[in-house]
Short mmCIF file of all heavy atoms in Angstrom, two decimals:
data_model
loop_
_atom_site.label_atom_id
_atom_site.label_comp_id
_atom_site.label_asym_id
_atom_site.label_seq_id
_atom_site.Cartn_x
_atom_site.Cartn_y
_atom_site.Cartn_z
N HIS A 83 -72.82 -15.97 27.38
CA HIS A 83 -71.39 -15.69 27.23
C HIS A 83 -70.56 -16.36 28.33
O HIS A 83 -69.47 -16.85 28.09
CB HIS A 83 -71.13 -14.18 27.24
CG HIS A 83 -71.52 -13.50 25.96
ND1 HIS A 83 -72.80 -13.06 25.73
CD2 HIS A 83 -70.80 -13.20 24.85
CE1 HIS A 83 -72.84 -12.50 24.53
NE2 HIS A 83 -71.65 -12.58 23.97
N PHE A 87 -68.21 -18.35 26.34
CA PHE A 87 -67.24 -17.37 25.84
C PHE A 87 -66.30 -16.88 26.94
O PHE A 87 -65.51 -15.98 26.73
CB PHE A 87 -68.03 -16.18 25.25
CG PHE A 87 -67.28 -15.37 24.23
CD1 PHE A 87 -67.02 -15.88 22.97
CD2 PHE A 87 -66.84 -14.08 24.52
CE1 PHE A 87 -66.33 -15.13 22.01
CE2 PHE A 87 -66.16 -13.32 23.57
CZ PHE A 87 -65.91 -13.85 22.32
N PRO A 106 -67.89 -8.65 26.89
CA PRO A 106 -67.16 -9.15 25.73
C PRO A 106 -67.93 -8.87 24.44
O PRO A 106 -67.44 -9.13 23.34
CB PRO A 106 -67.08 -10.65 25.98
CG PRO A 106 -68.35 -10.94 26.73
CD PRO A 106 -68.66 -9.73 27.56
N ALA A 107 -69.18 -8.38 24.57
CA ALA A 107 -70.02 -8.07 23.41
C ALA A 107 -71.12 -7.14 23.91
O ALA A 107 -71.43 -7.10 25.11
CB ALA A 107 -70.62 -9.34 22.82
N ASN A 108 -71.70 -6.40 22.97
CA ASN A 108 -72.69 -5.39 23.35
C ASN A 108 -74.12 -5.94 23.34
O ASN A 108 -75.05 -5.27 23.81
CB ASN A 108 -72.60 -4.20 22.39
CG ASN A 108 -71.18 -3.66 22.29
OD1 ASN A 108 -70.49 -3.55 23.31
ND2 ASN A 108 -70.72 -3.36 21.08
N CYS A 109 -74.30 -7.14 22.80
CA CYS A 109 -75.66 -7.66 22.58
C CYS A 109 -76.51 -7.77 23.85
O CYS A 109 -77.68 -7.40 23.81
CB CYS A 109 -75.65 -9.00 21.85
SG CYS A 109 -74.05 -9.66 21.44
N MET A 136 -66.14 -3.06 23.73
CA MET A 136 -66.22 -4.38 24.34
C MET A 136 -64.81 -4.92 24.53
O MET A 136 -63.88 -4.45 23.88
CB MET A 136 -67.09 -5.30 23.48
CG MET A 136 -66.62 -5.46 22.04
SD MET A 136 -67.88 -6.24 21.03
CE MET A 136 -66.83 -6.98 19.76
N ARG A 138 -62.03 -8.13 25.18
CA ARG A 138 -61.74 -9.55 25.06
C ARG A 138 -60.28 -9.79 25.42
O ARG A 138 -59.39 -9.07 24.98
CB ARG A 138 -62.03 -10.05 23.63
CG ARG A 138 -63.52 -9.92 23.31
CD ARG A 138 -63.91 -10.45 21.96
NE ARG A 138 -65.33 -10.18 21.76
CZ ARG A 138 -65.98 -10.40 20.62
NH1 ARG A 138 -65.33 -10.90 19.58
NH2 ARG A 138 -67.26 -10.13 20.51
N GLU A 140 -57.84 -11.32 24.44
CA GLU A 140 -57.09 -11.96 23.35
C GLU A 140 -55.67 -12.26 23.85
O GLU A 140 -55.10 -11.48 24.60
CB GLU A 140 -57.00 -11.01 22.15
CG GLU A 140 -58.32 -10.47 21.63
CD GLU A 140 -59.04 -11.43 20.70
OE1 GLU A 140 -58.53 -12.55 20.52
OE2 GLU A 140 -60.11 -11.05 20.19
N LEU A 145 -51.63 -10.05 19.45
CA LEU A 145 -51.98 -8.63 19.39
C LEU A 145 -50.93 -7.87 18.61
O LEU A 145 -49.76 -7.90 18.94
CB LEU A 145 -52.06 -8.05 20.81
CG LEU A 145 -53.02 -8.77 21.74
CD1 LEU A 145 -52.89 -8.23 23.15
CD2 LEU A 145 -54.45 -8.63 21.26
N LEU A 148 -53.28 -2.39 15.44
CA LEU A 148 -54.71 -2.12 15.65
C LEU A 148 -55.60 -3.27 15.19
O LEU A 148 -56.79 -3.27 15.48
CB LEU A 148 -55.13 -0.87 14.86
CG LEU A 148 -54.58 0.49 15.32
CD1 LEU A 148 -55.14 1.57 14.40
CD2 LEU A 148 -54.99 0.78 16.75
N SER A 149 -55.07 -4.25 14.45
CA SER A 149 -56.03 -5.18 13.84
C SER A 149 -56.60 -6.19 14.83
O SER A 149 -57.70 -6.71 14.61
CB SER A 149 -55.46 -5.86 12.61
OG SER A 149 -54.12 -6.12 12.76
N ARG A 150 -55.90 -6.47 15.90
CA ARG A 150 -56.48 -7.30 16.97
C ARG A 150 -56.16 -6.65 18.30
O ARG A 150 -54.99 -6.48 18.64
CB ARG A 150 -55.94 -8.72 16.91
CG ARG A 150 -56.65 -9.66 17.84
CD ARG A 150 -56.29 -11.09 17.59
NE ARG A 150 -56.83 -11.59 16.33
CZ ARG A 150 -58.06 -12.09 16.20
NH1 ARG A 150 -58.85 -12.17 17.23
NH2 ARG A 150 -58.48 -12.52 15.02
N VAL A 151 -57.19 -6.26 19.00
CA VAL A 151 -57.01 -5.49 20.24
C VAL A 151 -57.83 -6.08 21.37
O VAL A 151 -58.64 -7.00 21.15
CB VAL A 151 -57.42 -4.00 20.01
CG1 VAL A 151 -56.42 -3.29 19.13
CG2 VAL A 151 -58.83 -3.90 19.43
N ARG A 152 -57.63 -5.57 22.55
CA ARG A 152 -58.37 -6.09 23.71
C ARG A 152 -59.55 -5.20 24.09
O ARG A 152 -60.46 -5.66 24.76
CB ARG A 152 -57.42 -6.26 24.89
CG ARG A 152 -56.54 -7.49 24.72
CD ARG A 152 -55.56 -7.62 25.86
NE ARG A 152 -55.02 -8.97 25.93
CZ ARG A 152 -54.02 -9.32 26.73
NH1 ARG A 152 -53.46 -8.42 27.52
NH2 ARG A 152 -53.59 -10.57 26.75
N GLN A 153 -59.49 -3.94 23.73
CA GLN A 153 -60.71 -3.11 23.82
C GLN A 153 -61.13 -2.84 22.39
O GLN A 153 -60.42 -2.17 21.64
CB GLN A 153 -60.48 -1.79 24.54
CG GLN A 153 -61.75 -0.94 24.50
CD GLN A 153 -61.65 0.38 25.23
OE1 GLN A 153 -60.87 0.54 26.15
NE2 GLN A 153 -62.47 1.33 24.80
N ILE A 154 -62.27 -3.41 22.03
CA ILE A 154 -62.74 -3.35 20.64
C ILE A 154 -63.87 -2.32 20.59
O ILE A 154 -64.87 -2.46 21.30
CB ILE A 154 -63.27 -4.74 20.22
CG1 ILE A 154 -62.18 -5.79 20.43
CG2 ILE A 154 -63.77 -4.72 18.79
CD1 ILE A 154 -62.73 -7.20 20.60
N ASN A 155 -63.68 -1.30 19.77
CA ASN A 155 -64.73 -0.27 19.65
C ASN A 155 -65.50 -0.53 18.37
O ASN A 155 -65.05 -0.21 17.28
CB ASN A 155 -64.09 1.12 19.68
CG ASN A 155 -63.41 1.35 21.03
OD1 ASN A 155 -64.08 1.41 22.06
ND2 ASN A 155 -62.10 1.43 21.04
N LEU A 156 -66.65 -1.16 18.56
CA LEU A 156 -67.37 -1.75 17.43
C LEU A 156 -68.54 -0.91 16.96
O LEU A 156 -69.35 -0.44 17.78
CB LEU A 156 -67.89 -3.14 17.86
CG LEU A 156 -68.53 -4.00 16.78
CD1 LEU A 156 -67.52 -4.42 15.73
CD2 LEU A 156 -69.17 -5.25 17.41
N ASP A 157 -68.61 -0.73 15.64
CA ASP A 157 -69.81 -0.16 15.02
C ASP A 157 -70.85 -1.28 15.03
O ASP A 157 -70.83 -2.15 14.17
CB ASP A 157 -69.45 0.28 13.59
CG ASP A 157 -70.67 0.53 12.73
OD1 ASP A 157 -71.73 0.87 13.29
OD2 ASP A 157 -70.56 0.40 11.49
N ASP A 158 -71.72 -1.26 16.02
CA ASP A 158 -72.54 -2.43 16.32
C ASP A 158 -74.03 -2.09 16.24
O ASP A 158 -74.45 -1.03 16.71
CB ASP A 158 -72.21 -2.89 17.75
CG ASP A 158 -72.51 -4.35 17.98
OD1 ASP A 158 -73.01 -5.01 17.06
OD2 ASP A 158 -72.24 -4.83 19.10
N THR A 159 -74.78 -2.98 15.62
CA THR A 159 -76.24 -2.82 15.60
C THR A 159 -76.88 -4.15 15.93
O THR A 159 -76.42 -5.20 15.46
CB THR A 159 -76.71 -2.36 14.20
OG1 THR A 159 -76.16 -1.08 13.94
CG2 THR A 159 -78.23 -2.27 14.11
N HIS A 160 -77.92 -4.10 16.74
CA HIS A 160 -78.72 -5.31 16.97
C HIS A 160 -80.14 -5.03 16.50
O HIS A 160 -80.77 -4.07 16.95
CB HIS A 160 -78.68 -5.71 18.44
CG HIS A 160 -77.30 -6.18 18.84
ND1 HIS A 160 -76.39 -5.35 19.43
CD2 HIS A 160 -76.69 -7.37 18.65
CE1 HIS A 160 -75.25 -6.03 19.61
NE2 HIS A 160 -75.40 -7.25 19.14
N ALA A 237 -70.64 -17.92 15.39
CA ALA A 237 -70.60 -17.45 16.78
C ALA A 237 -71.29 -18.52 17.63
O ALA A 237 -72.03 -19.35 17.10
CB ALA A 237 -71.32 -16.12 16.90
N TYR A 239 -73.76 -18.26 19.42
CA TYR A 239 -75.22 -18.09 19.47
C TYR A 239 -75.89 -18.21 18.10
O TYR A 239 -77.10 -18.21 18.01
CB TYR A 239 -75.57 -16.72 20.08
CG TYR A 239 -74.71 -15.59 19.54
CD1 TYR A 239 -74.89 -15.08 18.26
CD2 TYR A 239 -73.70 -15.02 20.32
CE1 TYR A 239 -74.10 -14.07 17.77
CE2 TYR A 239 -72.89 -13.99 19.83
CZ TYR A 239 -73.09 -13.52 18.56
OH TYR A 239 -72.31 -12.52 18.06
N LYS A 242 -73.30 -16.85 10.83
CA LYS A 242 -73.08 -15.48 10.39
C LYS A 242 -72.54 -15.40 8.96
O LYS A 242 -71.97 -16.37 8.46
CB LYS A 242 -72.15 -14.74 11.35
CG LYS A 242 -70.84 -15.44 11.64
CD LYS A 242 -70.13 -14.81 12.85
CE LYS A 242 -68.85 -15.55 13.18
NZ LYS A 242 -67.66 -14.75 13.23
N ASP A 244 -69.71 -13.55 7.21
CA ASP A 244 -68.51 -12.78 7.49
C ASP A 244 -67.98 -12.21 6.18
O ASP A 244 -67.90 -12.91 5.17
CB ASP A 244 -67.43 -13.65 8.14
CG ASP A 244 -67.76 -13.98 9.59
OD1 ASP A 244 -68.33 -13.11 10.28
OD2 ASP A 244 -67.44 -15.10 10.04
N VAL A 245 -67.64 -10.93 6.22
CA VAL A 245 -67.13 -10.28 5.02
C VAL A 245 -65.60 -10.26 5.15
O VAL A 245 -65.06 -9.60 6.03
CB VAL A 245 -67.71 -8.87 4.87
CG1 VAL A 245 -67.26 -8.26 3.54
CG2 VAL A 245 -69.24 -8.91 4.96
N GLU A 255 -58.77 -11.43 6.65
CA GLU A 255 -59.40 -11.27 7.97
C GLU A 255 -60.86 -10.87 7.78
O GLU A 255 -61.26 -10.42 6.72
CB GLU A 255 -58.66 -10.22 8.82
CG GLU A 255 -58.74 -8.84 8.23
CD GLU A 255 -57.96 -7.79 9.01
OE1 GLU A 255 -57.41 -8.10 10.07
OE2 GLU A 255 -57.93 -6.64 8.54
N THR A 256 -61.63 -11.07 8.87
CA THR A 256 -63.04 -10.68 8.83
C THR A 256 -63.15 -9.22 9.21
O THR A 256 -62.69 -8.81 10.27
CB THR A 256 -63.86 -11.50 9.85
OG1 THR A 256 -63.71 -12.88 9.55
CG2 THR A 256 -65.33 -11.13 9.77
N LEU A 257 -63.80 -8.45 8.32
CA LEU A 257 -64.04 -7.05 8.68
C LEU A 257 -65.49 -6.94 9.14
O LEU A 257 -65.74 -6.90 10.33
CB LEU A 257 -63.72 -6.17 7.46
CG LEU A 257 -63.49 -4.69 7.74
CD1 LEU A 257 -62.39 -4.47 8.76
CD2 LEU A 257 -63.11 -3.96 6.45
N SER A 258 -66.43 -6.97 8.24
CA SER A 258 -67.82 -6.78 8.63
C SER A 258 -68.48 -8.13 8.87
O SER A 258 -67.99 -9.17 8.42
CB SER A 258 -68.56 -6.04 7.53
OG SER A 258 -67.84 -4.89 7.18
N THR A 259 -69.62 -8.09 9.56
CA THR A 259 -70.31 -9.35 9.86
C THR A 259 -71.81 -9.10 10.06
O THR A 259 -72.19 -8.04 10.56
CB THR A 259 -69.67 -10.01 11.11
OG1 THR A 259 -70.25 -11.28 11.35
CG2 THR A 259 -69.79 -9.15 12.35
N VAL A 260 -72.61 -10.05 9.60
CA VAL A 260 -74.06 -10.01 9.83
C VAL A 260 -74.45 -11.38 10.39
O VAL A 260 -74.16 -12.40 9.76
CB VAL A 260 -74.84 -9.72 8.53
CG1 VAL A 260 -76.34 -9.72 8.78
CG2 VAL A 260 -74.41 -8.38 7.92
N GLN A 261 -75.03 -11.40 11.57
CA GLN A 261 -75.19 -12.65 12.29
C GLN A 261 -76.65 -12.87 12.70
O GLN A 261 -77.34 -11.93 13.06
CB GLN A 261 -74.32 -12.62 13.55
CG GLN A 261 -72.92 -12.08 13.29
CD GLN A 261 -72.07 -11.94 14.54
OE1 GLN A 261 -72.60 -11.94 15.66
NE2 GLN A 261 -70.77 -11.81 14.36
N GLN A 266 -80.23 -15.68 21.98
CA GLN A 266 -80.30 -14.64 23.01
C GLN A 266 -81.73 -14.14 23.23
O GLN A 266 -82.13 -13.92 24.37
CB GLN A 266 -79.29 -13.52 22.74
CG GLN A 266 -77.85 -14.03 22.89
CD GLN A 266 -76.80 -12.93 22.91
OE1 GLN A 266 -76.74 -12.13 23.84
NE2 GLN A 266 -75.97 -12.89 21.88
N ILE A 287 -80.65 -9.92 14.99
CA ILE A 287 -79.60 -9.91 13.97
C ILE A 287 -78.50 -8.97 14.45
O ILE A 287 -78.76 -7.81 14.78
CB ILE A 287 -80.15 -9.46 12.61
CG1 ILE A 287 -81.19 -10.48 12.13
CG2 ILE A 287 -79.03 -9.31 11.58
CD1 ILE A 287 -82.03 -10.01 10.99
N HIS A 288 -77.30 -9.50 14.55
CA HIS A 288 -76.14 -8.69 14.98
C HIS A 288 -75.45 -8.22 13.72
O HIS A 288 -75.24 -9.00 12.80
CB HIS A 288 -75.12 -9.52 15.76
CG HIS A 288 -75.68 -10.34 16.89
ND1 HIS A 288 -75.22 -10.22 18.18
CD2 HIS A 288 -76.63 -11.31 16.92
CE1 HIS A 288 -75.87 -11.08 18.95
NE2 HIS A 288 -76.71 -11.76 18.22
N ARG A 289 -75.05 -6.97 13.74
CA ARG A 289 -74.49 -6.41 12.52
C ARG A 289 -73.33 -5.48 12.86
O ARG A 289 -73.49 -4.54 13.64
CB ARG A 289 -75.63 -5.62 11.91
CG ARG A 289 -75.52 -5.13 10.54
CD ARG A 289 -76.34 -3.89 10.40
NE ARG A 289 -77.71 -4.10 9.97
CZ ARG A 289 -78.53 -3.07 9.72
NH1 ARG A 289 -78.13 -1.82 9.90
NH2 ARG A 289 -79.75 -3.30 9.33
N GLY A 290 -72.16 -5.79 12.34
CA GLY A 290 -71.02 -4.88 12.48
C GLY A 290 -70.67 -4.41 11.08
O GLY A 290 -70.12 -5.18 10.30
N VAL A 291 -71.03 -3.18 10.73
CA VAL A 291 -70.90 -2.73 9.35
C VAL A 291 -69.46 -2.26 9.08
O VAL A 291 -68.73 -2.87 8.31
CB VAL A 291 -71.94 -1.66 9.00
CG1 VAL A 291 -71.66 -1.06 7.62
CG2 VAL A 291 -73.34 -2.28 9.01
N LEU A 292 -69.05 -1.18 9.74
CA LEU A 292 -67.65 -0.78 9.57
C LEU A 292 -66.74 -1.64 10.44
O LEU A 292 -65.53 -1.55 10.34
CB LEU A 292 -67.46 0.69 9.95
CG LEU A 292 -68.06 1.73 9.03
CD1 LEU A 292 -67.57 3.12 9.41
CD2 LEU A 292 -67.71 1.46 7.57
N SER A 293 -67.34 -2.42 11.31
CA SER A 293 -66.59 -3.32 12.19
C SER A 293 -65.90 -2.54 13.31
O SER A 293 -66.31 -1.42 13.63
CB SER A 293 -65.64 -4.14 11.32
OG SER A 293 -64.46 -4.51 11.96
N ALA A 294 -64.85 -3.13 13.85
CA ALA A 294 -64.13 -2.46 14.94
C ALA A 294 -63.38 -1.26 14.36
O ALA A 294 -62.74 -1.37 13.31
CB ALA A 294 -63.15 -3.42 15.58
N MET A 295 -63.46 -0.13 15.05
CA MET A 295 -62.73 1.05 14.59
C MET A 295 -61.24 0.73 14.43
O MET A 295 -60.58 1.20 13.51
CB MET A 295 -62.90 2.20 15.60
CG MET A 295 -64.26 2.83 15.56
SD MET A 295 -64.63 3.47 13.90
CE MET A 295 -66.03 2.46 13.46
N GLU A 296 -60.72 -0.11 15.33
CA GLU A 296 -59.29 -0.46 15.28
C GLU A 296 -59.00 -1.23 13.99
O GLU A 296 -58.05 -0.93 13.26
CB GLU A 296 -58.92 -1.35 16.48
CG GLU A 296 -58.94 -0.62 17.82
CD GLU A 296 -60.34 -0.35 18.36
OE1 GLU A 296 -61.31 -0.93 17.84
OE2 GLU A 296 -60.46 0.45 19.30
N ARG A 297 -59.82 -2.24 13.73
CA ARG A 297 -59.53 -3.11 12.58
C ARG A 297 -59.71 -2.36 11.27
O ARG A 297 -58.91 -2.50 10.35
CB ARG A 297 -60.42 -4.35 12.62
CG ARG A 297 -60.03 -5.35 11.58
CD ARG A 297 -60.62 -6.70 11.81
NE ARG A 297 -60.00 -7.38 12.93
CZ ARG A 297 -60.23 -8.66 13.25
NH1 ARG A 297 -61.08 -9.36 12.54
NH2 ARG A 297 -59.63 -9.20 14.28
C1 LIG B 501 -71.60 -7.80 15.54
N1 LIG B 501 -72.05 -9.45 18.94
C2 LIG B 501 -71.51 -9.28 17.61
C3 LIG B 501 -71.84 -7.90 17.07
O1 LIG B 501 -73.19 -7.58 17.31
C4 LIG B 501 -69.98 -9.48 17.67
O2 LIG B 501 -69.34 -9.02 18.61
N2 LIG B 501 -69.45 -10.17 16.68
S1 LIG B 501 -67.90 -10.54 16.53
O3 LIG B 501 -67.42 -11.18 17.70
O4 LIG B 501 -67.78 -11.28 15.31
O5 LIG B 501 -67.11 -9.20 16.37
C5 LIG B 501 -67.51 -8.28 15.39
C6 LIG B 501 -66.33 -7.79 14.56
O6 LIG B 501 -65.38 -7.17 15.42
C7 LIG B 501 -65.54 -8.90 13.87
O7 LIG B 501 -66.12 -9.21 12.63
C8 LIG B 501 -64.17 -8.28 13.70
O8 LIG B 501 -64.12 -7.47 12.53
C9 LIG B 501 -64.08 -7.35 14.90
N3 LIG B 501 -63.25 -7.93 15.98
C10 LIG B 501 -63.52 -9.02 16.72
N4 LIG B 501 -62.54 -9.23 17.62
C11 LIG B 501 -61.63 -8.23 17.43
C12 LIG B 501 -60.38 -7.89 18.05
N5 LIG B 501 -59.90 -8.58 19.06
N6 LIG B 501 -59.73 -6.81 17.59
C13 LIG B 501 -60.23 -6.06 16.58
N7 LIG B 501 -61.38 -6.34 15.96
C14 LIG B 501 -62.08 -7.41 16.38
#
Side-chain angles (χ1 to χ4, degrees):
H83 285 86
F87 204 71
N108 307 318
C109 1
M136 58 193 206
R138 296 183 184 173
E140 306 278 3
L145 304 173
L148 292 180
S149 36
R150 189 169 290 275
V151 289
R152 284 177 162 172
Q153 176 178 334
I154 304 156
N155 296 295
L156 187 66
D157 164 26
D158 205 358
T159 296
H160 292 96
Y239 44 73
K242 52 194 178 125
D244 287 325
V245 186
E255 65 183 356
T256 302
L257 198 56
S258 309
T259 184
V260 178
Q261 315 175 343
Q266 293 192 67
I287 296 166
H288 309 236
R289 192 208 268 184
V291 172
L292 290 190
S293 149
M295 286 302 117
E296 290 75 13
R297 188 165 288 188

